[in-house]
Amino acid sequence: MNFRLVAAALFAVSLPACASAQSPDLAAIARSSGTPDIPGLKMVWLAPWGDLAKAHPWRNIIVHQTEGPVGSARGGALAQSKNPTRRGVMVWVETDGTVYWAVGEHLVPTHGDGANRNDNKYIDNGPTYRQVIGSNSVGVEFAGNYPDVTRGPTDAQVAAWRILVKVLRARYGIPLDRVYAHNWIDFKDARYCEGCALAKMAREWGE
C-alpha cells in the first residue's frame, strides 16, 4: 500500500470539513443586514439592521451602566423599542450576556449629558468636550449594578462585550480610541465610575 497516497487522500478529504468548521468572518457579518447570527452572542433583535449606507453616521461608542436589577435590560430595551428617541440607548446587555438591539440604527436615542466633563480626570477631554454626544455615539447599556452601584459587570457581560464591541466598531468604522465610558466624558455619580471598566477592557483588548 502506498501510504503517502493514502495520507494525501485523507488530507484532501479533511479540508472541506476544516473549512466548514471555521467561524464566519466577523467583519463580513457586521456589514450585513437583517438579523444575522453572530457567533458567541445571544442576540435579541427588536430592530433589525437595515441598509448600512442609510444608518446614522455613528462616530463613537459610549458605555453606560444602569442601576436596574437583573432583568432590567430586557425591560429597558422593550420600552426603548416602543419609543426609540426616549432617554436610553440603542443596545442593551443583560447580566446573563443577552444583547438586545432595541432601536433602528437610523434613529437617535437620547443619552449622555452633552459631554460636559473637561477636567481630564480619566482621559484627555480636549477631543471629547461637547463633542462626544448622544447624537453621534452608539450607546450600550449594561444592566445589573443594583443595589450596589460599585458592582462590576458579570463574566457573561464581559464575554458578550468582547464580541459586541468588535461588531459595533466594524459596522460603523469606529476607531478603538473612540470607545468611551460615560464617566470619562460626563460628570456622573461620584459613587462609582460608570462604564469605566468596560471601556478600559475594550481598549486593552485592542484590535
Side-chain angles (χ1 to χ4, degrees), residues 72-206:
S72 59
R74 179 178 181 275
L78 288 170
Q80 195 79 50
S81 68
K82 294 175 182 176
N83 183 9
T85 59
R86 73 191 281 268
R87 179 81 174 180
V89 297
M90 189 160 68
V91 185
W92 301 69
V93 185
E94 188 49 77
T95 52
D96 65 358
T98 301
V99 177
Y100 294 86
W101 198 286
V103 176
E105 57 194 344
H106 62 291
L107 299 172
V108 182
T110 303
H111 69 109
D113 297 283
N116 60 16
R117 182 179 284 279
N118 59 356
D119 61 354
N120 301 321
K121 181 175 181 179
Y122 300 103
I123 60 173
D124 177 8
N125 292 124
T128 71
Y129 184 63
R130 302 303 189 194
Q131 297 178 68
V132 179
I133 53 180
S135 61
N136 62 25
S137 306
V138 175
V140 184
E141 187 84 67
F142 287 80
N145 63 344
Y146 174 85
D148 178 10
V149 296
T150 65
R151 181 188 301 161
T154 66
D155 290 343
Q157 285 176 319
V158 171
W161 177 232
R162 184 184 286 272
I163 301 168
L164 177 61
V165 69
K166 290 182 179 180
V167 171
L168 293 172
R169 291 185 54 235
R171 184 162 181 82
Y172 303 117
I174 298 173
L176 193 61
D177 62 358
R178 288 191 176 178
V179 179
Y180 300 101
H182 195 186
N183 230 89
W184 291 355
I185 60 167
D186 285 317
F187 289 105
K188 294 297 298 176
D189 193 326
R191 294 174 298 170
Y192 75 115
C193 190
E194 182 187 337
C196 295
L198 289 158
K200 186 171 181 286
M201 285 177 195
R203 292 196 179 195
E204 289 176 347
W205 290 331

Side-chain angles (χ1 to χ4, degrees), residues 30-77:
R31 292 189 294 270
S32 65
S33 59
T35 58
D37 290 328
I38 301 175
L41 284 185
K42 180 182 177 182
M43 294 287 293
V44 176
W45 294 97
L46 301 178
W49 282 346
D51 180 353
L52 183 55
K54 297 179 180 178
H56 185 77
W58 304 110
R59 299 181 58 223
N60 314 288
I61 298 170
I62 301 177
V63 186
H64 300 268
Q65 288 176 275
T66 177
E67 294 181 33
V70 173
S72 59
R74 179 178 181 275

Side-chain angles (χ1 to χ4, degrees), residues 2-15:
N2 190 322
F3 289 101
R4 289 185 179 179
L5 289 176
V6 172
L10 290 173
F11 179 73
V13 170
S14 70
L15 282 178

